[in-house]
Amino acid sequence: MRISSVIIIGTGLAGSQVAAQLISLSKVKGVGVDKITMISKGSMQDCNSDLAQGGVAVALNEPDADSHFSDTLTAGNSLSDQKTTRILVDEGVEVVKDMIEQGLEVDRDSQGKIELGLEGAHSKKRILHLGGDQSGHIMLQFVQQQSRGQVTVLENSFVSEILVDGNQAYGVRILDETDQESILMADFIILASGGCGQLYTPNANSLMISGDGFAVAKRAGAMLERMSFVQFHPTLLNLAQNDPKCLVSEAIRGEGGVLVNSNGVEYMNGVHPLKSLAPRDVVARENFKQIASGRSIYLDVSNVEGFKTRFPSINSTLEKLHFDVDINKLIPVIPGAHFFIGGVATDEWGKTSVNKLYACGEVASTRVHGSNRLASNSLLECLVFGKRVALDILTALASAPEAKSRSTSLVLTAQRNEVLRPAPRQSSADVAGLNLPELHELQVRAFDSIGIIRERERVLEFVKWLAQYSRNQIVRNRDAMQLENMVELALLISADFLK
Ligand SMILES: Cc1cc2nc3c(=O)[nH]c(=O)nc-3n(C[C@H](O)[C@H](O)[C@H](O)COP(=O)(O)OP(=O)(O)OC[C@H]3O[C@@H](n4cnc5c(N)ncnc54)[C@H](O)[C@@H]3O)c2cc1C
């Protein structure tokens, strides 16, 4: 009898979808994985998937797949891979339909018909919403529920290394909340560690999302690509000073919200035929320029009907900040870091260049987003390619000769089907005395140099500044390692831009 094991780094939508599909497809395929371990740096829900507001782009209204495909290519400046993009839009329909059949509750009109919304650069209404602007939260809960009780989850656990033997991955090194190290081994490792928003300020990402996965994958020898392709969102809420900032969803512009500057000018009118609903890169650049020339920018929601009920999550954040859209229709916004487009290169099954190492979700580069992601294509990417990773693993298991699994937990005490939930990390560990940058300074410099507008001279200066911080220092802790990963990622983004 064969015993097989899988480690999934990340409990966001991509990682959770791999786990759910490994379980459900095993019934169809007649072969399953005996042990699935999911690892999360914070709590299981603390990730970008949980924050997604806008929804899921999916061609539910036939025939729409061809225009979803061409909108994706156009928004991506024709740099998308046509094969993987076709997979995304075509298989996306089936994956989402299956979820609805299994009970996923999506927003419907008064007749019970599924309501589809519009977002930037979509030529048709095809954005599926859940709970108004709580799409990511509801979808993540739904997918996580499918594997609950059947996987081991290690929360507050930091993966510092993917272990490789030659060009084959066989395990991970983990630091717990007190920086105690342990090693976990498995037959397959899936990297689903999300993007890198915390490298920049301002950003709208979870505090957990600082780009560890890219650095960890690189050290394991995986091929990375398109590392300078970072997406900046045009509209983050510009009321509180701290990061992460609340995203002011593009869906609001889809419902009639319009960008205006402090002179009352609808400045996008002269910039792009789609005006405020132009592709994200175009709007983010123009917003940046408006601010750089001394103007403030706002999202005018005067024409958005039923704002408070249609966007309950954003409205609740506004109310907490004592901002009432019934009184003030101009929501102050600012562009900021949002999504990582490039990443760990994968084939159409999520395989990386390292054997037994898969990547999916935001950390992966499936090349579907070209150089600019079409709004709401990311959750779909997690669902479609998460399922493909699971299928590929089960296919490999079905054809593999029987062998003993590497499944060995050396130090970890979590039992099968248990959520190991140590106390969250309370305070920042001491990184003083180490040759590392101060986090905020790194974030500010990254935004200035490898942010929305990039100039060769500035990037070169930034690289020189980064070069003073060396790896391989003696004292090791999670905060120091995270900063080192961020420095490494900043160098990778810079190098890709400069090449
Ligand atoms: C505010 C906001 C709104 C968005 N709205 C939309 C939308 O409407 N539609 C859409 O399609 N997309 C949207 N996106 C993008 C989308 O949410 C993400 O791209 C997608 O959810 C990424 O999923 P993921 O599973 O790859 O990563 P995440 O959901 O970010 O999960 C990453 C996981 O990796 C873990 N992890 C990271 N590093 C480590 C480490 N070193 N050790 C252990 N674990 C680690 C984290 O703890 C987490 O569990 C939005 C993003 C944001 C930030």
Side-chain angles (χ1 to χ4, degrees):
M1 193 189 74
R2 177 188 29 247
I3 301 171
S4 54
S5 59
V6 165
I7 291 172
I8 302 173
I9 307 166
T11 57
L13 192 63
S16 299
Q17 170 76 339
V18 175
Q21 293 292 331
L22 279 172
I23 291 163
S24 76
L25 289 171
S26 65
K27 292 166 199 149
V28 184
K29 288 259 175 191
V31 58
V33 174
D34 299 277
K35 183 163 175 63
I36 301 173
T37 304
M38 300 184 75
I39 306 171
S40 172
K41 200 166 153 186
S43 78
M44 227 183 143
Q45 282 76 31
D46 193 349
C47 58
N48 281 353
S49 300
D50 194 64
L51 300 176
Q53 299 171 344
V56 187
V58 57
L60 286 183
N61 277 347
E62 299 293 342
D64 183 32
D66 286 349
S67 75
H68 186 188
F69 175 75
S70 61
D71 287 351
T72 302
L73 261 46
T74 305
N77 301 311
S78 301
L79 286 170
S80 302
D81 177 321
Q82 300 214 6
K83 187 175 175 191
T84 48
T85 308
R86 204 66 247 187
I87 290 170
L88 176 82
V89 301
D90 290 348
E91 294 185 12
V93 177
E94 290 315 309
V95 172
V96 172
K97 276 187 178 166
D98 281 351
M99 292 171 81
I100 296 172
E101 265 169 34
Q102 286 159 21
L104 179 70
E105 288 194 11
V106 302
D107 291 357
R108 295 173 185 267
D109 65 18
S110 51
Q111 271 83 49
K113 195 166 169 277
I114 293 176
E115 252 180 342
L116 297 173
L118 190 66
E119 286 192 51
H122 284 273
S123 60
K124 288 186 184 161
K125 287 192 168 190
R126 65 169 74 91
I127 317 296
L128 190 70
H129 303 121
L130 296 85
D133 57 2
Q134 300 166 74
S135 302
H137 175 74
I138 294 174
M139 186 158 276
L140 183 64
Q141 298 285 322
F142 182 84
V143 174
Q144 287 184 344
Q145 180 59 37
Q146 294 174 331
S147 63
R148 192 151 295 148
Q150 301 176 73
V151 296
T152 298
V153 183
L154 307 176
E155 292 189 316
N156 299 311
S157 302
F158 179 91
V159 171
S160 62
E161 199 181 338
I162 293 171
L163 303 169
V164 284
D165 183 1
N167 190 40
Q168 179 154 319
Y170 67 88
V172 293
R173 191 183 300 276
I174 303 172
L175 275 81
D176 71 11
E177 75 288 5
T178 59
D179 294 326
Q180 291 301 306
E181 272 194 359
S182 53
I183 285 175
L184 193 63
M185 298 199 281
D187 300 307
F188 299 94
I189 314 293
I190 293 119
L191 183 63
S193 53
C196 79
Q198 291 302 328
L199 176 60
Y200 297 93
T201 184
N203 75 72
N205 279 200
S206 149
L207 286 172
M208 297 302 134
I209 305 305
S210 55
D212 299 314
F214 305 105
V216 165
K218 174 158 186 285
R219 294 199 290 275
M223 198 178 109
L224 307 183
E225 63 182 15
R226 303 183 170 200
M227 291 304 287
S228 55
F229 291 13
V230 184
Q231 185 171 59
F232 294 83
H233 199 283
T235 53
L236 312 191
L237 181 62
N238 192 20
L239 279 176
Q241 290 304 311
N242 293 346
D243 286 324
K245 292 194 183 302
C246 171
L247 194 91
V248 180
S249 168
E250 201 153 8
I252 303 176
R253 279 177 274 141
E255 300 290 322
V258 170
L259 288 161
V260 297
N261 65 22
S262 35
N263 298 334
V265 176
E266 288 183 26
Y267 52 87
M268 282 308 298
N269 291 1
V271 176
H272 194 277
L274 289 173
K275 303 175 182 172
S276 287
L277 275 172
R280 281 191 178 163
D281 54 344
V282 178
V283 187
R285 267 197 302 276
E286 186 55 32
N287 286 0
F288 183 86
K289 284 185 199 159
Q290 291 285 328
I291 291 171
S293 39
R295 294 174 208 114
S296 302
I297 55 170
Y298 303 89
L299 186 62
D300 182 348
V301 295
S302 309
N303 294 324
V304 180
E305 271 177 42
F307 181 94
K308 290 185 175 178
T309 46
R310 170 69 185 82
F311 302 104
S313 169
I314 300 169
N315 188 55
S316 141
T317 304
L318 287 171
E319 282 182 354
K320 278 184 205 137
L321 294 164
H322 311 292
F323 190 99
D324 187 343
V325 283
D326 285 340
I327 296 168
N328 190 348
K329 300 285 183 196
L330 297 180
I331 302 176
V333 291
I334 190 173
H338 180 54
F339 180 83
F340 203 86
I341 296 172
V344 183
T346 65
D347 69 6
E348 68 271 28
W349 294 100
K351 283 193 186 109
T352 71
S353 60
V354 175
N355 292 334
K356 307 288 170 107
L357 175 65
Y358 290 78
C360 71
E362 200 170 325
V363 74
S365 171
T366 56
R367 298 163 298 284
V368 295
H369 305 301
S371 61
N372 176 56
R373 174 175 69 105
L374 182 66
S376 285
N377 263 353
S378 171
L379 295 178
L380 191 68
E381 184 188 19
C382 293
L383 295 173
V384 168
F385 290 95
K387 180 174 178 183
R388 284 189 147 243
V389 167
L391 261 172
D392 200 70
I393 289 174
L394 293 177
T395 305
L397 284 175
S399 59
E402 295 198 354
K404 194 158 174 6
S405 163
R406 284 184 184 264
S407 174
T408 324
S409 170
L410 290 187
V411 187
L412 294 166
T413 52
Q415 298 304 306
R416 185 174 157 79
N417 308 341
E418 184 187 353
V419 177
L420 191 69
R421 184 166 286 158
R425 209 167 162 73
Q426 291 301 321
S427 61
S428 191
D430 187 12
V431 295
L434 295 177
N435 182 25
L436 286 168
E438 194 269 319
L439 174 63
H440 186 69
E441 185 179 3
L442 173 62
Q443 292 173 318
V444 171
R445 282 181 183 261
F447 194 76
D448 281 351
S449 317
I450 49 169
I452 297 174
I453 306 277
R454 299 166 185 185
E455 287 157 11
R456 201 173 166 79
E457 281 312 307
R458 277 183 99 88
V459 179
L460 284 169
E461 256 174 53
F462 183 51
V463 169
K464 214 186 279 173
W465 180 78
L466 289 168
Q468 65 187 299
Y469 301 109
S470 63
R471 270 195 63 81
N472 300 323
Q473 299 171 71
I474 296 155
V475 183
R476 315 292 290 149
N477 63 53
R478 282 171 59 152
D479 296 316
M481 285 177 168
Q482 183 174 299
L483 264 174
E484 283 182 334
N485 287 342
M486 291 165 93
V487 169
E488 191 155 348
L489 176 60
L491 283 166
L492 287 166
I493 296 171
S494 305
D496 191 52
F497 171 80
L498 291 170
K499 83 179 180 209

